[in-house]
Amino acid sequence: MDRLLIISNRLPVSVKKGDGGITIKPSVGGLATGMKTFYKTLDSMWIGWPGIDKQDISPEDEKNIHEQLKQERCEPLYINKRDFELFYYGFSNKTIWPLFHYFPQYTDYHREYWLAYQRVNELFAEKVLSMIREGDYIWIHDYHLLLLPKLIRDRFPNATIGFFNHIPFPSYELFRLLPWREKILEGMLGADLIGFHTYDYERHFNSCVRRLLGHDYVLNRINLGDRIIKVDNFPMGIDYDRFYQAALKIGSIKKEQKTKLQKDIESFFKTAPQRKLILSIDRLDYTKGISNRLYAFRRFLEKYPEYHDKVTLILLAVPSRSKVEQYQIMKREVDELVGHINGKWGNVIWTPVWYFYRSLPFESLIILYYFSDVGLITPVRDGMNLVAKEFIATKTTGKGVLILSEMAGASKEMNEAILINPNNIEAIADSIATALKMNLEEQIERNSKIQERLKRYNVERWANEFLNGMKGIRNYQKQFFTKKITPETIQKILDKYKKSGKNILFLDYNGTLVDTRDKSEYASPDKDLYKILDKLKEDNRNEVVLISSRDRKTLDKWFGDKDYILFAEHGMWGKKEKNNSWIKLNDQLHSAWKKMIRPVLELYVDRTPGSFIEEKSFSLAWHYENTDPDYGLQRAFELKDELTERIINLDLQVVEGNKVVEIKNQEVNKGTAAQKKISDDKYNFILAIGDDWTDEYLFNGLPQYAFTINVGLKHSRAKYYCESYHNVRDLLKEMCKTRK
Ligand code: ADQ
């Protein structure tokens, strides 16, 4: 595979300067732990902040650091102290982190933070651009670097970029509060693949993109007009075998090799064999619900006195972002609660809560996981939560019960755990009792199911799926690159046109010759368009056919005094010249069904503000372009469903266009109308241009030698695509200049 550049705020190792010189230690944290084993197996390079400031080291140290990091395939990016403060403690952790975790009351919206966030993202972009090579895969991680995908894309358009968000993505109601919301979304959309832990975060993101930027998505692909990107969920796994194997070894470790922690715990069980251990591990963060957990444990001790002296809660909190005020307040609350519980119930032989405020080495972590009977993990909001997965992975005998918050992304894959609402203190207290009473058989059954899943979808698989996702979307995009109309293709069309003696041009109207974003009622032709069409018509080799889904009245209003051939209502009606009357092109059709269907559409108009009905002679259309985008789409799905049931046996079809649901007779379409037209005469040159599903019939109905062009980037039967109606007009103008 090509080279992989991983970019995250922090490197997976952190550099420290002490008396003994420079040391490099692995960083704590979900991402670092998850990716560490994986990235070394690939041809990859990790770019990020090394955890030390350049001002605090000598040039000698810097060289030394560089050398050591090179061994780890890491490239350091130094950020000046002031910017780092504002970027990391400021925008990342006082703006994005609280808002994305549904804590708007903790969210600061300081412009100074935002400016620093932009500056640091720019710094990352410069670093990446100085290293990037053609063919590299760029995988950007997390909420510190939301602007980076676009910054790279702008200057290296061909880059293959993936972005993975490790924290939740909030619903539109929350996200809209952010003053720089559009810039953040645009930044992320610079990627080709955007990944989240769960489907909920994915759909929140898509909805924000649609509501704030107006880009629609179909089947988890967002069409940006010039690029299609993919949004998907990839629930992050753990290095399952590492945890499982480490836990397996614990039982067979020789006495002299045991750590102090293991000896202490074993001797503890010797003196109190009935004692049960409940484990709680997190970074000390307000999103992790640590105080809720302590309130619940307190309630449990109140409600179930029979467990006094028999249960101990191990509360392990890793110091985190201690410079941020909310973290300091929370630390005080946790300290007080622990003191309160131990003071109230503790005695000489029993301490209800063992509280550790520190990071622990891997071996100690495993010992705690392994010896604990219950894992109590109750975040109020958590992107995924790897601790829950690690706890289960160490249950080699199948014994152990996990109590997990349903607000953690991990809960979506761990249904067999006891799932709780972290705000329901009473229910958590009861679930602790349930967990302690659960029989071994049930524990084994529940855990083995989760273990099977964790083993299969481990961190390596997660990363592979993401990388394959990047490759997949890249290949998908390539199909379009080859279809994009180029100056060479235009020249080919013009050459053929110039030589030909008899030409026919089928031109759709809305979205092809004028902008679709105008409200459909107002998208009337402008002077420039008339000028182009008149000029084409002047050339007597040409027949100009305007083939539209609009009704006769509208086309008459716009083109009634022109000599273009007009096809209205998908080719149901035709008109040859201005003084001719409209001819029905299909005599077999009936429209009696409208009486039955119209009331259904009226009901949808009443229930969906902004929507309206358009009646044509052989079809009815429900337009929802002026409605709330999400709501309109949801109603459109419902309407389609309802109509599909009602039209069984009626020779009708329900078709979906650009923000419109239309019911029409099955035989009517632009393809049959165009076929009929070309069978009248012999044409050497055929050009057809359109932009939506109705034009697909047209492209399909024409002979192989026809030039067919779709406006906009999407799967189409057309041979080529161009980006907008401007390109169509430019092509037609060139044709006007090219007379024989
Ligand atoms: P975090 O908020 O850091 O990660 P989490 O997923 O639980 O949360 O990962 C914590 C990691 O730190 C675990 O691998 C754990 O083993 C380790 N750890 C915890 N306490 C420790 C201690 N005392 N000593 C040593 N190591 C300790 C963010 C998101 C999560 C998401 C991850 C990965 O907030 O929701 O799951 O990224 O995407």
Side-chain angles (χ1 to χ4, degrees):
M1 119 154 223
D2 301 285
R3 197 172 62 144
L4 171 70
L5 299 184
I6 302 170
I7 300 122
S8 66
N9 169 47
R10 291 197 71 148
L11 286 174
V13 292
S14 104
V15 179
K16 292 253 154 33
K17 186 177 174 175
D19 295 339
I22 299 288
T23 53
I24 292 195
K25 270 187 24 192
S27 307
V28 176
L31 171 62
T33 336
M35 291 290 289
K36 197 166 51 194
T37 359
F38 180 79
Y39 95 103
K40 283 194 177 171
T41 61
L42 291 170
D43 176 15
S44 46
M45 195 65 157
W46 196 314
I47 302 167
W49 184 65
I52 197 161
D53 203 90
K54 214 170 181 173
Q55 290 158 17
D56 301 336
I57 51 172
S58 63
E60 194 72 355
D61 290 334
E62 195 185 332
K63 228 173 115 194
N64 183 355
I65 292 171
H66 208 92
E67 282 309 306
Q68 288 197 51
L69 287 179
K70 215 169 156 190
Q71 311 282 320
E72 303 286 328
R73 299 220 218 124
C74 287
E75 174 70 27
L77 174 90
Y78 295 98
I79 303 167
N80 79 54
K81 258 188 188 145
R82 171 95 183 122
D83 267 356
F84 189 79
E85 289 275 319
L86 296 169
F87 150 78
Y88 182 74
Y89 292 103
F91 199 78
S92 301
N93 288 319
K94 284 189 187 166
T95 310
I96 298 287
W97 178 270
L99 189 68
F100 280 33
H101 283 88
Y102 293 71
F103 280 86
Q105 70 276 31
Y106 289 171
T107 309
D108 286 345
Y109 302 107
H110 292 314
R111 204 173 111 79
E112 219 192 348
Y113 293 169
W114 166 243
L115 294 176
Y117 188 77
Q118 285 175 288
R119 281 197 298 276
V120 172
N121 270 259
E122 180 61 44
L123 212 62
F124 270 92
E126 280 162 21
K127 184 73 169 183
V128 176
L129 289 161
S130 72
M131 296 172 69
I132 197 168
R133 298 196 301 239
E134 202 65 50
D136 283 351
Y137 284 81
I138 315 287
W139 187 358
I140 301 167
H141 289 270
D142 231 357
Y143 65 102
H144 315 89
L145 301 173
L146 296 167
L147 303 176
L148 187 56
K150 181 174 187 315
L151 292 173
I152 300 174
R153 169 83 49 213
D154 285 348
R155 280 168 274 174
F156 204 91
N158 279 342
T160 304
I161 306 173
F163 178 84
F164 189 83
N165 199 51
H166 288 262
I167 64 171
F169 197 90
S171 79
Y172 170 68
E173 281 307 318
L174 263 284
F175 186 74
R176 69 198 293 208
L177 299 175
L178 193 64
W180 308 280
R181 56 202 187 179
E182 287 87 1
K183 287 267 172 289
I184 294 283
L185 292 179
E186 282 162 5
M188 294 171 80
L189 291 175
D192 299 291
L193 175 66
I194 301 177
F196 297 96
H197 282 304
T198 71
Y199 172 65
D200 282 339
Y201 311 151
E202 177 193 331
R203 93 189 147 77
H204 290 160
F205 174 77
N206 286 340
S207 155
C208 288
V209 168
R210 179 175 14 224
R211 282 163 171 258
L212 292 166
L213 301 182
H215 300 304
D216 261 326
Y217 57 92
V218 179
L219 290 174
N220 71 10
R221 294 206 179 100
I222 300 181
N223 193 332
L224 300 178
D226 58 346
R227 255 173 351 109
I228 289 181
I229 64 167
K230 189 170 175 189
V231 181
D232 210 343
N233 65 85
F234 302 86
M236 185 172 173
I238 55 166
D239 186 352
Y240 183 86
D241 280 344
R242 181 164 175 249
F243 283 88
Y244 185 85
Q245 292 302 335
L248 213 54
K249 271 190 211 135
I250 288 180
S252 55
I253 291 178
K254 290 197 187 102
K255 200 171 167 197
E256 58 281 9
Q257 285 170 342
K258 286 183 183 169
T259 62
K260 180 166 179 319
L261 180 69
Q262 185 170 353
K263 284 180 198 156
D264 287 349
I265 290 191
E266 284 174 354
S267 70
F268 163 79
F269 279 123
K270 256 186 210 142
T271 52
Q274 298 309 315
R275 194 71 64 85
K276 300 275 186 192
L277 290 181
I278 301 175
L279 180 65
S280 146
I281 299 189
D282 328 75
R283 276 185 308 101
L284 193 68
D285 194 296
Y286 52 81
T287 61
K288 302 284 183 186
I290 299 173
S291 39
N292 289 16
R293 203 169 307 172
L294 285 166
Y295 285 121
F297 187 61
R298 186 174 74 178
R299 180 74 190 118
F300 162 77
L301 294 177
E302 273 166 15
K303 202 169 168 180
Y304 300 94
E306 64 272 28
Y307 283 106
H308 290 185
D309 289 342
K310 298 197 178 84
V311 172
T312 292
L313 170 68
I314 306 175
L315 186 73
L316 178 60
V318 188
S320 179
R321 301 168 203 166
S322 43
K323 285 188 191 169
V324 179
E325 197 194 348
Q326 275 87 25
Y327 289 73
Q328 295 160 2
I329 296 173
M330 190 192 43
K331 163 92 171 46
R332 276 200 297 276
E333 191 188 2
V334 169
D335 290 353
E336 279 168 21
L337 269 168
V338 171
H340 170 80
I341 295 171
N342 284 343
K344 185 161 179 189
W345 285 288
N347 56 41
V348 179
I349 51 157
W350 177 49
T351 310
V353 184
W354 293 348
Y355 177 31
F356 305 90
Y357 178 57
R358 69 189 87 134
S359 180
L360 287 184
F362 178 73
E363 296 68 32
S364 305
L365 212 59
I366 296 292
I367 288 168
L368 291 179
Y369 281 140
Y370 180 79
F371 284 105
S372 299
D373 301 279
V374 177
L376 183 60
I377 299 165
T378 60
V380 282
R381 200 60 73 161
D382 208 338
M384 171 53 72
N385 195 300
L386 300 179
V387 171
K389 296 187 170 182
E390 294 167 2
F391 174 79
I392 293 289
T394 59
K395 297 296 154 205
T396 48
T397 59
K399 182 174 168 293
V401 182
L402 174 66
I403 301 173
L404 177 62
S405 161
E406 58 195 34
M407 306 300 169
S411 69
K412 306 276 182 274
E413 309 156 69
M414 303 176 97
N415 255 324
E416 294 80 2
I418 300 181
L419 297 183
I420 47 93
N421 172 351
N423 299 310
N424 192 341
I425 303 296
E426 200 66 25
I428 305 176
D430 291 340
S431 69
I432 296 176
T434 310
L436 293 170
K437 281 183 216 141
M438 192 182 285
N439 69 51
L440 184 61
E441 221 173 48
E442 185 175 347
Q443 295 181 32
I444 294 173
E445 194 186 327
R446 286 178 184 240
N447 290 338
S448 62
K449 283 189 187 146
I450 310 180
Q451 283 175 332
E452 235 172 76
R453 231 171 286 138
L454 294 181
K455 197 172 171 184
R456 227 181 20 244
Y457 202 94
N458 62 10
V459 69
E460 199 171 328
R461 171 87 183 274
W462 166 78
N464 265 322
E465 298 257 312
F466 191 87
L467 289 175
N468 286 336
M470 277 164 85
K471 282 184 210 162
I473 188 72
R474 207 56 189 156
N475 289 337
Y476 182 77
Q477 288 168 345
K478 270 187 197 145
Q479 296 171 22
F480 291 106
F481 293 149
T482 55
K483 285 180 102 181
K484 185 169 176 177
I485 201 154
T486 58
E488 292 75 42
T489 326
I490 292 177
Q491 199 47 55
K492 203 168 106 189
I493 296 174
L494 293 174
D495 288 347
K496 184 87 199 278
Y497 172 69
K498 204 170 168 183
K499 284 186 206 138
S500 153
K502 192 145 183 62
N503 313 324
I504 188 159
L505 318 179
F506 290 102
L507 304 173
D508 166 53
Y509 177 73
N510 223 22
T512 301
L513 296 175
V514 292
D515 195 353
T516 20
R517 277 168 308 173
D518 286 349
K519 310 246 183 312
S520 59
E521 298 111 302
Y522 306 118
S524 48
D526 51 86
K527 274 193 194 145
D528 185 45
L529 179 62
Y530 284 129
K531 213 167 128 193
I532 297 170
L533 296 175
D534 286 344
K535 197 109 200 190
L536 285 169
K537 183 73 192 74
E538 265 172 30
D539 188 335
N540 54 20
R541 295 173 308 148
N542 292 345
E543 284 186 43
V544 179
V545 185
L546 292 183
I547 185 162
S548 168
S549 42
R550 306 305 307 249
D551 58 26
R552 284 170 292 166
K553 218 168 109 202
T554 314
L555 293 190
D556 263 340
K557 190 170 89 193
W558 291 337
F559 304 108
D561 59 346
K562 298 283 181 188
D563 262 340
Y564 323 140
I565 299 170
L566 301 178
F567 281 2
E569 299 184 24
H570 307 274
M572 176 61 228
W573 297 94
K575 188 175 171 181
K576 259 196 169 161
E577 277 167 356
K578 62 182 169 203
N579 297 323
N580 290 153
S581 49
W582 286 95
I583 299 167
K584 201 198 277 181
L585 300 177
N586 190 329
D587 279 335
Q588 313 299 316
L589 300 177
H590 61 100
S591 58
W593 57 269
K594 278 194 195 163
K595 269 204 194 100
M596 185 186 90
I597 298 292
R598 193 172 173 105
V600 180
L601 299 192
E602 276 164 0
L603 192 70
Y604 275 76
V605 168
D606 293 341
R607 292 166 63 200
T608 322
S611 67
F612 63 93
I613 300 171
E614 184 188 5
E615 177 156 1
K616 307 176 201 174
S617 33
F618 290 94
S619 79
L620 282 173
W622 180 76
H623 288 260
Y624 62 96
E625 56 261 40
N626 303 333
T627 65
D628 173 287
D630 278 347
Y631 186 58
L633 189 70
Q634 186 194 324
R635 283 269 176 263
F637 280 136
E638 284 172 27
L639 176 62
K640 248 179 90 175
D641 233 32
E642 190 166 341
L643 290 172
T644 311
E645 266 185 34
R646 284 180 185 248
I647 62 167
I648 293 173
N649 302 331
L650 275 183
D651 220 15
L652 298 173
Q653 58 176 333
V654 180
V655 272
E656 222 187 327
N658 194 4
K659 306 251 190 296
V660 56
V661 176
E662 187 159 0
I663 310 98
K664 62 182 195 64
N665 285 86
Q666 228 152 19
E667 297 84 356
V668 181
N669 67 55
K670 291 182 181 178
T672 40
Q675 272 172 344
K676 228 178 231 172
K677 175 75 195 126
I678 52 175
S679 65
D680 293 349
D681 224 326
K682 201 153 173 54
Y683 299 95
N684 322 104
F685 175 90
I686 303 176
L687 173 70
I689 316 181
D691 78 315
D692 74 9
W693 58 269
T694 61
D695 302 303
E696 294 299 313
Y697 291 105
L698 175 62
F699 303 143
N700 203 33
L702 295 174
Q704 223 0 67
Y705 69 89
F707 291 102
T708 50
I709 304 172
N710 187 64
V711 183
L713 189 59
K714 67 169 171 52
H715 257 304
S716 167
R717 289 167 198 268
K719 283 184 190 150
Y720 308 103
Y721 87 89
C722 64
E723 276 162 17
S724 84
Y725 76 101
H726 290 296
N727 308 107
V728 177
R729 289 191 182 193
D730 288 347
L731 171 66
L732 297 178
K733 279 181 191 162
E734 285 303 315
M735 289 170 69
C736 292
K737 289 187 210 154
T738 318
R739 297 188 75 166
K740 214 174 174 184

